[in-house]
Amino acid sequence: LPQECIAIEDSRTGIRSAVAAGMRCLAVHDARTPRTSAIAAGAHRWTSSLAEIRVEDLWEMRTAPE
């Protein structure tokens, strides 16, 4: 089920597509997708590097209310 998924995206198009499909979206920094742009596209969370993300962080994203 889409609502049980977390998409990891680095572009505004990918972020918008994931959110439109009903998924939570973790945006990863890309020179073309700064934090403000990623959040405006609908990302639920933003990170500058996947190295900063723990499994617990993903679980919290998945179980957090909208």
Side-chain angles (χ1 to χ4, degrees), residues 26 45-47 49-58:
L26 169 63
R45 184 164 175 185
W46 180 90
T47 186
S49 169
L50 284 177
E52 298 174 356
I53 300 298
R54 303 170 303 139
V55 171
E56 293 84 2
D57 298 326
L58 298 174

Side-chain angles (χ1 to χ4, degrees), residues 22-24 44 64-66:
M23 298 180 218
R24 299 255 179 193
H44 296 89
E66 271 298 316

Side-chain angles (χ1 to χ4, degrees), residues 2-65:
Q3 63 271 23
E4 295 182 4
C5 298
I6 297 174
I8 300 173
E9 294 290 345
D10 66 352
S11 71
R12 287 182 297 270
T13 302
I15 294 165
R16 286 191 297 264
S17 296
V19 173
M23 298 180 218
R24 299 255 179 193
C25 185
L26 169 63
V28 180
H29 174 75
D30 180 272
R32 298 160 298 180
T33 311
R35 182 180 190 278
T36 54
S37 180
I39 298 300
H44 296 89
R45 184 164 175 185
W46 180 90
T47 186
S48 60
S49 169
L50 284 177
E52 298 174 356
I53 300 298
R54 303 170 303 139
V55 171
E56 293 84 2
D57 298 326
L58 298 174
W59 185 257
E60 288 175 15
M61 278 185 69
R62 188 178 159 271
T63 58

